[in-house]
């Protein structure tokens, strides 16, 4: 199950690489695993497929749109709910 720390690790990887990603791949989708930017794809579906092909169902990863404007995030399976 993914932890909040893991989610933050992947968001931090995005933030560290954000300027480069925005300069080169705005509008594409980035695949991030732990603290590594794996690559970019033209569509969400292609990036998601690449993540599942590489990591399967057991290992979580992040797919995020490369955009200067941050919107609502979509979460996959196995995210713990916030404690009440």
């Amino acid at each position: 199950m993914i932890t909040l720390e893991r989610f933050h690790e992947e968001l931090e990887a995005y933030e560290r690489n954000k300027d480069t990603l925005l300069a080169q791949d705005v509008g594409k989708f980035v695949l991030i695993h732990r603290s590594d930017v794996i690559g970019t794809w033209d569509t969400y579906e292609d990036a998601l497929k690449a993540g599942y092909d590489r990591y399967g169902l057991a290992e979580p990863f992040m797919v995020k749109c490369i955009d200067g404007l941050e919107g609502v995030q979509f979460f996959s399976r196995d995210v713990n709910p916030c404690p009440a």
Side-chain angles (χ1 to χ4, degrees):
M1 189 172 300
I2 191 168
T3 63
L4 193 55
E5 292 80 20
R6 173 71 178 269
F7 176 70
H8 284 290
E9 179 182 13
E10 290 170 341
L11 274 180
E12 287 171 5
Y14 176 78
E15 289 300 322
R16 276 193 311 276
N17 293 281
K18 188 174 181 179
D19 291 339
T20 302
L21 290 167
L22 285 171
Q24 298 174 357
D25 295 305
V26 70
K28 292 185 177 184
F29 294 84
V30 61
L31 171 61
I32 300 172
H33 180 257
R34 297 198 176 266
S35 60
D36 298 321
V37 172
I38 306 305
T40 61
W41 285 262
D42 290 332
T43 68
Y44 174 80
E45 291 79 10
D46 288 343
L48 191 64
K49 182 180 182 322
Y52 283 127
D53 287 348
R54 187 171 183 143
Y55 302 108
L57 294 174
E59 183 66 24
F61 55 85
M62 174 185 282
V63 172
K64 183 165 180 16
C65 183
I66 303 166
D67 193 345
L69 301 173
E70 297 297 325
V72 174
Q73 301 294 315
F74 296 93
F75 295 95
S76 183
R77 65 204 188 309
D78 296 335
V79 175
N80 290 333
C82 294

